[in-house]
Amino acid sequence: MANRGPSYGLSREVQEKIEQKYDPELEARLAEWILVQCGDDLERPEPGKQNFQKWLMSGTILCRLINSLYPRGEEPIKKITETKMVFKQMEKISQFLQAAEEYGVSRGDIFQTVDLWEGKDMAAVQGTLMALGSVALTKDDGHYRGDKDWFHRKAKVHKREFSEDQLRQGRSLIGLQMGSNRGASQSGMVGYGTPRQIMRYDSPRHNGHQSNP
């Protein structure tokens, strides 16, 4: 884990709650998928949240993962460089996150770069990888590798398309449902901002009689 100062008070409580969401069993499944998806040249990480974070934090494996979901020559990240420079590693993580969103992962499922690089929320990292696996499985385009039971398929949206005539008829129907203002007038209406005159119920004017001067 990256060097960070100790947490105190409320921040410590928040961090503990975040850490409680981390799933060691899910960690093993995600590591297995990444190994299968990226190839045999990756070294399996030792179990444990800190080891999983250290395995991914350079961004290299994540970039290889998203590239593996595309046909050869169409990978979104063209050049993956090995480097120990902090800003370059964080840049690769950001590239992965952008590519994951373009691939189909919902923005709400995307973790923040510091969640991984500083280990602030590894549960969020797990969530993004789970969402990515689900999208890859749902696409069913031949690029997903691994057990199909590792992730759930997302529900597909069936988009309905209408002809121009159907759209024109729909607009006409909506217009009729809204009604018409023919025959309407402003009689009896009071202008905006004009004070209302309040009369007692037993007032002669209220009963249609004019009072004598």
Side-chain angles (χ1 to χ4, degrees):
M1 183 177 292
N3 293 329
R4 289 187 290 120
S7 299
Y8 299 100
L10 182 59
S11 62
R12 182 181 181 85
E13 292 179 7
V14 172
Q15 188 63 34
E16 287 177 351
K17 289 181 179 180
I18 291 174
E19 291 174 355
Q20 288 173 2
K21 297 179 182 178
Y22 187 81
D23 188 343
E25 294 183 2
L26 181 56
E27 171 199 298
R29 187 199 313 174
L30 291 171
E32 186 67 29
W33 174 53
I34 293 171
L35 289 167
V36 172
Q37 189 70 40
C38 293
D40 299 329
D41 60 325
L42 290 182
E43 185 176 347
R44 184 183 298 274
E46 292 294 325
K49 181 173 60 176
Q50 293 186 8
N51 293 324
F52 191 60
Q53 179 217 357
K54 186 177 180 181
W55 192 53
L56 299 176
M57 65 182 291
S58 72
T60 299
I61 292 176
L62 293 177
C63 290
R64 287 184 56 180
L65 175 63
I66 192 67
N67 278 355
S68 71
L69 298 173
Y70 284 84
R72 185 177 297 276
E74 298 181 17
E75 297 89 347
I77 303 175
K78 303 304 181 184
K79 188 176 181 180
I80 306 174
T81 57
E82 289 286 353
T83 177
K84 293 184 178 180
M85 299 177 67
V86 172
F87 77 96
K88 285 293 185 180
Q89 292 183 349
M90 297 183 76
E91 184 179 279
K92 284 190 288 183
I93 296 174
S94 296
Q95 287 179 315
F96 161 76
L97 295 175
Q98 181 179 350
E101 185 174 349
E102 293 173 354
Y103 184 73
V105 177
S106 171
R107 178 170 294 185
D109 292 328
I110 298 290
F111 66 84
Q112 301 294 315
T113 301
V114 294
D115 291 338
L116 171 58
W117 207 89
E118 296 184 7
K120 288 192 171 185
D121 192 351
M122 289 301 296
V125 176
Q126 288 186 318
T128 298
L129 293 174
M130 279 295 294
L132 179 63
S134 293
V135 173
L137 181 63
T138 304
K139 282 180 180 287
D140 197 20
D141 55 5
H143 298 294
Y144 172 83
R145 307 184 190 104
D147 194 324
K148 293 185 177 180
D149 292 332
W150 285 344
F151 305 99
H152 68 275
R153 291 182 182 272
K154 290 183 174 292
K156 293 185 178 181
V157 177
H158 298 284
K159 185 177 180 180
R160 298 182 61 186
E161 296 185 359
F162 299 92
S163 66
E164 185 60 32
D165 288 339
Q166 289 174 318
L167 292 173
R168 191 180 301 111
Q169 292 174 4
R171 286 193 290 267
S172 300
L173 179 61
I174 292 174
L176 290 173
Q177 289 176 340
M178 292 176 64
S180 171
N181 63 353
R182 291 181 180 179
S185 72
Q186 293 182 335
S187 176
M189 295 181 63
V190 178
Y192 180 79
T194 303
R196 295 177 58 193
Q197 296 182 358
I198 302 176
M199 294 180 292
R200 292 175 51 186
Y201 182 79
D202 57 353
S203 169
R205 291 186 62 184
H206 185 279
N207 293 321
H209 302 291
Q210 298 292 334
S211 60
N212 292 327

